Amino acid sequence: MTAVKDFFKKNKFIIIQTIVFALLPLLLCIIHCAIRGHAVWDVYIPAGKWNDELLYYKQVEAIIKGGYPAGYYGYNESCAKMLSFGAWSPVLFFPWVIWGLLFGWGLTSPIYCNIFLLSVSLVAFILLAKPDLKQSLSIGVLFCAFTPFVRYMLSCMPEITCFSLVIVLYGLTYSHFRKEKDLKLVFMFVISVLLTIMRPYMILFLAIPVFLSIKKYKKKGILISVLVLLFATCLYFAISYLFAADYFFDIIATDWVKAFFEYGPVFGIKNLLKTLIESMKGFAEHIKAGVAIGFYTGAIFSTYVVLALVMLVQCVLDCIKSGSDSTKKKFLFIELHYTVSLIAMLFAMFLLYTLTSGSKHLLSFLVAGIFIVGMKTTKYFEKTVILGIVFIYFFMIKTADPYAYGIPFVNKTDLSEQTEWKKVMKEKIVINEDEKPGYDNVLIWAFVDEVEGERKEMKWQYLYAAPEEVGISCCSFEYVSDQFNNMKSKYMITITGGDFCKRLEMRGSELLYSDENCSLYKLR
């Protein structure tokens, strides 16, 4: 008993830190829901507006039910070369699969799993990095002010998985600088490879264990690093090639690269500069909208720029001050690598992604910044104060955009409609067990249809009620129009009273069920 008391007395600070940070994600979720007059268990994903959540949720549901979806997930009836996953890497949702296998899978499962993942990552960071009181306060304040943490915890989006891995990676990095151990390097390589095969631009984080490995083992470290880099790259392309379906368009823009080969280096350079300038102009317009009205993409861009400038200034100051101090040089590496990564990622977004969709790819780097800035405290918390003010302005004050900030809560209408559609789809959509995966088990989601000459988006939330193993193929208006008589899938859901409904009726397709919003048909 005395030994236990001595242990708690000796480790009182670290125990309190661990408990506080372990509970912080859940507490923030409770507070944000309570402010809106709800509890965490009132969050109802089908009432949300993020349609990517639907595809993640249903794929996990299918994996838990039958190992993989019985029908193809894809876009415009695309399908993976192997099995039946959608356009995004199935590695992104593996934590949810594990959670679902252990505890069952329901509409609140991804939320509870997200909260758990973030809590574990924070505890790991505290135990590994061992921040002092000032550093803990700095990290805690920035964590609370960065409300995207809460929004993504209360969703079925894989961002929390990426955030959690990044947090643990930096915890291992700080720990390694204090006491070098090979096992830490191994875990850093594993986490970095996982991040890379989830999203390719996160290969930037792989530079951390690569540098540390080369620094410690010289030639042997170079060999290890080259092998790991090759493995991560090959694994990413293998997963993308074999298990990912084609999206509506190329996810990564490469037209500026093709210009070099098709029209020569002079034209290629001009086209590259033109692409950069146009992207930068769009970037500036987004920032203006973020500052003025709180436009979410602009808020992310604004915050990112402020963080990059703060880190750039800090790196210059630390380079001047570090001198021959080996300890300072070690931690300077983290700052330099991170600053270079911020700049590299910005140019990657300008050249490879559309600005609106590309903005979310910056979030993991913003999360890393919270912990790097927090660990680099000074007497007056200058960097924390600057970043904290920016977070509060954009993510707590300027939150008028309901699409980005609105948390979906359960309501009687949505619940009633989901219950009815679930009953209908279970009865009407029959899974062909002899064709798994196959188009007999695919439900076309006509994303947009024309109603009285006006294009409208379908109430796609009904698709949460689809049978567990069915595949969902999101199809554009143009695709359905062009391929109307050649569609491979067996089922289709579209807007009641729209052009597709009229054409299906004229063709004699069987109407399985209809309400005022949507109609479900059997195509063959």
Side-chain angles (χ1 to χ4, degrees):
M1 192 68 180
T2 306
V4 174
K5 286 182 178 178
D6 288 343
F7 174 81
F8 277 99
K9 189 175 180 180
K10 186 179 179 181
N11 298 281
K12 184 179 178 181
F13 177 63
I14 192 73
I15 291 170
I16 293 172
Q17 271 184 307
T18 303
I19 293 171
V20 169
F21 277 90
L23 294 175
L24 192 56
L26 177 59
L27 287 172
L28 287 176
C29 288
I30 291 172
I31 291 167
H32 278 262
C33 290
I35 289 169
R36 294 163 173 83
H38 290 275
V40 174
W41 51 81
D42 290 334
V43 177
Y44 191 61
I45 293 171
K49 298 181 180 181
W50 295 355
N51 52 47
D52 281 356
E53 291 180 287
L54 165 72
L55 301 178
Y56 286 123
Y57 179 85
K58 297 299 289 184
Q59 285 181 86
V60 174
E61 189 178 61
I63 293 168
I64 292 167
K65 174 74 175 180
Y68 56 89
Y72 298 118
Y73 275 82
Y75 296 84
N76 289 344
E77 294 194 287
S78 65
C79 66
K81 292 176 178 61
M82 292 182 66
L83 298 182
S84 46
F85 300 113
W88 320 117
S89 171
V91 182
L92 280 164
F93 43 78
F94 81 90
W96 293 335
V97 173
I98 296 169
W99 184 274
L101 291 170
L102 291 173
F103 306 108
W105 188 249
L107 290 169
T108 54
S109 298
I111 294 167
Y112 296 143
C113 182
N114 288 340
I115 293 170
F116 175 77
L117 286 173
L118 203 51
S119 294
V120 169
S121 69
L122 289 174
V123 169
F125 185 87
I126 294 299
L127 296 176
L128 288 164
K130 292 182 171 56
D132 59 28
L133 180 59
K134 288 177 69 177
Q135 291 168 330
S136 294
L137 286 171
S138 182
I139 291 168
V141 167
L142 292 176
F143 187 92
C144 293
F146 190 70
T147 59
F149 276 127
V150 174
R151 184 62 192 93
Y152 280 104
M153 277 191 282
L154 301 176
S155 77
C156 191
M157 293 289 281
E159 266 61 35
I160 293 297
T161 298
C162 298
F163 296 169
S164 299
L165 289 172
V166 167
I167 292 167
V168 176
L169 176 64
Y170 276 97
L172 285 164
T173 306
Y174 282 109
S175 179
H176 182 81
F177 281 137
R178 287 188 171 85
K179 190 174 182 180
E180 293 186 5
K181 283 191 177 180
D182 289 346
L183 189 59
K184 293 175 186 176
L185 267 178
V186 170
F187 279 120
M188 289 162 74
F189 271 119
V190 170
I191 290 172
S192 301
V193 169
L194 272 174
L195 286 168
T196 301
I197 60 177
M198 286 178 175
R199 288 182 171 152
Y201 55 81
M202 289 196 181
I203 199 170
L204 289 166
F205 290 115
L206 195 49
I208 297 173
V210 163
F211 171 82
L212 296 176
S213 178
I214 293 173
K215 183 175 177 292
K216 184 174 182 179
Y217 295 108
K218 304 301 187 287
K219 290 182 179 179
K220 185 181 175 183
I222 293 172
L223 178 62
I224 292 169
S225 298
V226 169
L227 291 174
V228 172
L229 283 166
L230 285 172
F231 173 74
T233 304
C234 292
L235 188 58
Y236 168 75
F237 282 110
I239 291 170
S240 298
Y241 179 76
L242 296 173
F243 299 108
D246 290 335
Y247 190 51
F248 288 124
F249 48 81
D250 289 337
I251 296 169
I252 297 177
T254 56
D255 289 345
W256 61 273
V257 178
K258 294 175 184 176
F260 280 92
F261 296 97
E262 293 177 4
Y263 303 105
V266 176
F267 180 86
I269 291 169
K270 287 181 179 178
N271 186 63
L272 173 63
L273 292 173
K274 182 183 176 183
T275 303
L276 271 174
I277 291 167
E278 287 177 354
S279 294
M280 287 177 179
K281 285 180 180 177
F283 186 77
E285 289 300 317
H286 277 78
I287 288 177
K288 286 180 185 177
V291 173
I293 60 173
F295 183 54
Y296 185 63
T297 304
I300 294 172
F301 290 163
S302 302
T303 309
Y304 194 88
V305 168
V306 171
L307 181 58
L309 290 172
V310 167
M311 291 306 303
L312 197 59
V313 171
Q314 190 63 52
C315 282
V316 172
L317 294 174
D318 286 348
C319 282
I320 295 169
K321 293 176 183 177
S322 63
S324 59
D325 190 322
S326 58
T327 304
K328 286 184 179 179
K329 283 184 176 180
K330 285 180 179 180
F331 292 102
L332 177 59
F333 160 72
I334 295 177
E335 296 168 22
L336 285 170
H337 165 263
Y338 178 63
T339 305
V340 170
S341 296
L342 287 175
I343 296 167
M345 189 59 201
L346 198 57
F347 278 91
M349 193 188 63
F350 288 155
L351 294 172
L352 302 176
Y353 299 98
T354 60
L355 291 176
T356 304
S357 62
S359 62
K360 72 176 182 180
H361 299 309
L362 303 179
L363 288 172
S364 293
F365 294 86
L366 287 175
V367 168
I370 289 171
F371 292 83
I372 293 169
V373 168
M375 292 295 287
K376 187 69 181 177
T377 54
T378 50
K379 186 177 180 181
Y380 299 107
F381 296 95
E382 297 95 336
K383 293 175 293 301
T384 300
V385 170
I386 292 169
L387 198 58
I389 289 171
V390 173
F391 282 174
I392 290 168
Y393 178 80
F394 286 109
F395 302 122
M396 298 181 81
I397 297 173
K398 290 285 188 177
T399 56
D401 184 356
Y403 179 83
Y405 298 101
I407 298 171
F409 293 107
V410 67
N411 61 72
K412 289 182 180 179
T413 302
D414 287 333
L415 199 58
S416 174
E417 289 174 346
Q418 284 291 325
T419 303
E420 183 62 28
W421 273 94
K422 194 173 185 69
K423 178 183 174 183
V424 167
M425 288 191 178
K426 186 176 181 180
E427 178 187 339
K428 302 294 185 180
I429 296 178
V430 181
I431 299 298
N432 184 347
E433 297 292 337
D434 296 326
E435 191 182 336
K436 290 175 66 176
Y439 283 103
D440 264 10
N441 304 320
V442 174
L443 171 61
I444 285 178
W445 160 19
F447 188 71
V448 171
D449 195 2
E450 284 193 356
V451 182
E452 297 179 356
E454 183 183 352
R455 288 196 182 184
K456 294 185 177 180
E457 187 178 313
M458 193 197 89
K459 191 170 182 178
W460 50 266
Q461 287 85 349
Y462 287 165
L463 289 163
Y464 280 96
E468 292 94 336
E469 291 185 86
V470 75
I472 297 171
S473 188
C474 182
C475 296
S476 66
F477 177 84
E478 289 74 18
Y479 177 84
V480 176
S481 295
D482 293 344
Q483 301 296 321
F484 193 78
N485 295 314
N486 301 306
M487 290 186 288
K488 296 171 279 188
S489 303
K490 191 170 184 178
Y491 303 95
M492 177 173 164
I493 187 168
T494 187
I495 299 174
T496 299
D499 284 2
F500 294 147
C501 271
K502 293 173 184 176
R503 291 175 69 179
L504 287 165
E505 287 169 10
M506 289 175 62
R507 197 177 76 172
S509 296
E510 182 182 354
L511 175 64
L512 301 177
Y513 182 74
S514 181
D515 68 8
E516 62 181 2
N517 295 306
C518 295
S519 297
L520 176 66
Y521 286 88
K522 183 190 284 187
L523 300 181
R524 54 182 172 78

